[in-house]
Amino acid sequence: MLLTSIYLNLFVCLLILNFHWKENKTIVYLLLIILIFNLRQITALLLNSDSNQEILAKIIFTMDPIGYLLGPIVLYYFKSSIQGKLVFDKKILLFCLPAILFFINIFPYYQLPLEEKIKIIRSIEHHVYRRNFPYQHTLFFSFKTQLKLILFSNIGFTIFSIVNYYVVKKANRIKAKNILYVKNIILLFFISIFPHFLLILFTSYQESHQVAFNIRSATNNYREYQYFITIFTPISFLLFPKLIYGINSNSTLSLSFRDFINIKFQKDVELSPELIVKSSDRDQIVEFIDAERPYLQANFSLHTLSQALNIPHLRVSSCFSKELNTTFPEYRNRKRIDYAIRLFKENTHHQMSIEGIAAQCGFKNKSSFYLAFKAIYKCTPTTWIVENL
């Protein structure tokens, strides 16, 4: 189960990296949050097992200074998500200074022989995580004080990040697509954390017959619940697929698998000349659409594009799916909506109705314009105008 948790988290990280890296560098912070959070969960699992005590002795107290970094990383992840770009400044280095202090505070422990470290780990009775850390192995303050500082620091950074998001949102300084992204982050955060609080309260009550909010590991009777919690975070990402594939991404696992199969076996399949996509097709199609803006015509179709460029119909369709990773209607609507956004920014909506702008962008009616706009920005055109202009 321990390896299952590691593999699942790494798999989620690889998916996020694959689908976001080119357009969204902010996922660097998200990946760090997932990895650090998973390491802390693994440490708790090792503490409840009788094996791997050497590994546990090496990482258990090292994880606390690293765990403190979760707070600053959460703060900068929220700031980056709100602004839609990677935010990194000198302040984040200042926020990391307490982690160095915590590391120095328990430096005497790091100097102990491995046998002595294992002895400290074994001194924890009945698999209950009380963290009875010898005071003589700290320099400045007790280990319990350090734990409280780390806990309240992380909670403080997280609360500040969420409050700051709502303040900025109320001031209408967040793009609509970023609002949806941050909302998903907040929901995912609470869904991931909730089982941990339930286990803490449940085991505390079962062992002491009173609800004591202290972080202790479950006994052997509750170990299976702790195993489940370690895999709950990566599984919870399945509830928010757009956090993996991107808000406006059309990528799915099925499409990725299909593309993999096509690439794997395309050498063994004889294709018709009409289906072979030439390397110049993509550039020719994109340049023509950008220069001539045929999408502003209501009757613009795949057939008219094929005729204008003298490229076989099937080859044009294949170019959109394989080269541009989208469909022709979705690409056409994206261009039309981009043009509508340009008109909004030029305050055209003050001189023309929304229906008139829809017609000018190539939509046949107002309803089709609203459907295409909501599919991309998750809000109506009027809402977008209020929130962004």
Side-chain angles (χ1 to χ4, degrees):
M1 184 63 72
L2 182 64
L3 291 177
T4 302
S5 172
I6 295 174
Y7 291 150
L8 279 176
N9 279 275
L10 289 178
F11 179 68
V12 169
C13 288
L14 289 175
L15 282 178
I16 294 173
L17 188 65
N18 177 63
F19 289 105
H20 283 266
W21 178 248
K22 290 183 179 179
E23 299 180 357
N24 181 15
K25 300 296 189 295
T26 65
I27 51 98
V28 170
Y29 292 129
L30 178 60
L31 298 182
L32 287 175
I33 292 171
I34 295 173
L35 293 175
I36 294 176
F37 191 63
N38 184 240
L39 282 174
R40 291 190 66 84
Q41 291 176 320
I42 291 172
T43 303
L45 267 181
L46 289 174
L47 193 66
N48 266 331
S49 66
D50 297 324
S51 58
N52 301 309
Q53 289 191 345
E54 291 186 5
I55 298 176
L56 181 61
K58 293 178 181 178
I59 70 171
I60 182 170
F61 297 113
T62 307
M63 276 308 304
D64 289 299
I66 297 176
Y68 161 81
L69 296 176
L70 273 176
I73 293 173
V74 167
L75 172 63
Y76 273 82
Y77 180 51
F78 268 82
K79 290 180 65 175
S80 300
S81 300
I82 289 172
Q83 298 184 26
K85 62 180 182 179
L86 184 65
V87 176
F88 184 88
D89 54 41
K90 295 180 180 178
K91 290 182 180 179
I92 193 172
L93 299 177
L94 294 176
F95 289 142
C96 294
L97 289 179
I100 300 176
L101 176 64
F102 296 143
F103 181 84
I104 296 174
N105 183 53
I106 55 176
F107 187 73
Y109 172 81
Y110 302 133
Q111 294 181 309
L112 293 175
L114 181 59
E115 294 76 11
E116 187 67 23
K117 293 178 182 178
I118 295 176
K119 186 177 179 181
I120 293 175
I121 300 300
R122 288 174 178 172
S123 66
I124 302 175
E125 299 178 351
H126 306 301
H127 297 288
V128 177
Y129 193 14
R130 302 181 186 277
R131 291 209 176 191
N132 295 322
F133 194 77
Y135 187 80
Q136 64 268 25
H137 297 323
T138 58
L139 291 178
F140 308 119
F141 38 78
S142 68
F143 193 75
K144 288 184 178 180
T145 302
Q146 177 168 304
L147 288 179
K148 290 179 181 179
L149 290 174
I150 294 174
L151 176 62
F152 288 118
S153 173
N154 285 337
I155 293 175
F157 274 113
T158 304
I159 293 176
F160 176 82
S161 301
I162 296 175
V163 171
N164 180 64
Y165 157 71
Y166 283 105
V167 170
V168 177
K169 180 177 179 292
K170 190 175 182 181
N172 295 322
R173 288 186 286 152
I174 309 180
K175 295 181 180 180
K177 63 177 182 179
N178 293 342
I179 291 176
L180 177 62
Y181 189 79
V182 178
K183 282 183 178 179
N184 285 341
I185 293 170
I186 295 174
L187 286 174
L188 176 64
F189 171 78
F190 283 110
I191 290 175
S192 299
I193 294 296
F194 186 67
H196 292 268
F197 284 101
L198 286 182
L199 183 64
I200 290 169
L201 293 175
F202 179 69
T203 56
S204 297
Y205 178 78
Q206 291 293 324
E207 293 173 3
S208 61
H209 301 290
Q210 59 182 356
V211 178
F213 197 77
N214 53 358
I215 301 179
R216 300 188 288 180
S217 296
T219 59
N220 292 335
N221 294 330
Y222 314 122
R223 189 178 299 177
E224 63 272 16
Y225 297 110
Q226 195 172 12
Y227 285 147
F228 170 75
I229 285 179
T230 60
I231 65 173
F232 187 82
T233 299
I235 291 177
S236 62
F237 269 90
L238 299 178
L239 301 176
F240 304 92
K242 290 186 179 296
L243 287 181
I244 297 179
Y245 303 117
I247 294 295
N248 297 319
S249 175
N250 295 310
S251 300
T252 62
L253 285 176
S254 60
L255 286 176
S256 299
F257 181 74
R258 185 194 64 188
D259 292 341
F260 171 78
I261 294 298
N262 289 338
I263 294 173
K264 190 73 175 177
F265 298 102
Q266 63 183 356
K267 295 181 180 180
D268 301 326
V269 180
E270 293 184 2
L271 296 176
S272 168
E274 291 185 344
L275 292 178
I276 300 176
V277 180
K278 297 181 180 180
S279 59
S280 60
D281 287 348
R282 179 184 183 277
D283 295 337
Q284 189 177 356
I285 291 171
V286 171
E287 289 175 4
F288 174 79
I289 292 177
D290 289 343
E292 301 298 329
R293 295 180 184 172
Y295 51 84
L296 299 182
Q297 304 297 322
N299 60 350
F300 177 55
S301 64
L302 193 65
H303 179 69
T304 57
L305 178 61
S306 174
Q307 284 186 326
L309 297 176
N310 194 26
I311 299 177
H313 181 279
L314 292 176
R315 209 166 79 197
V316 174
S317 177
S318 181
C319 182
F320 277 98
S321 61
K322 293 182 179 180
E323 297 292 323
L324 298 174
N325 297 319
T326 185
T327 63
F328 172 78
E330 290 172 341
Y331 189 89
R332 178 183 58 190
N333 284 346
R334 164 60 73 176
K335 286 295 182 179
R336 287 173 173 175
I337 296 302
D338 287 346
Y339 189 77
I341 295 296
R342 175 182 173 183
L343 295 180
F344 290 152
K345 292 181 177 179
E346 293 174 355
N347 295 321
T348 307
H349 55 285
H350 293 315
Q351 294 85 30
M352 185 183 299
S353 66
I354 297 295
E355 188 172 4
I357 291 178
Q360 190 169 340
C361 294
F363 290 98
K364 294 182 178 180
N365 50 59
K366 183 178 178 180
S367 60
S368 61
F369 174 53
Y370 268 64
L371 286 174
F373 198 99
K374 291 184 70 175
I376 296 174
Y377 287 99
K378 311 304 177 184
C379 65
T380 63
T382 52
T383 301
W384 188 93
I385 292 173
V386 171
E387 293 180 347
N388 295 274
L389 299 178

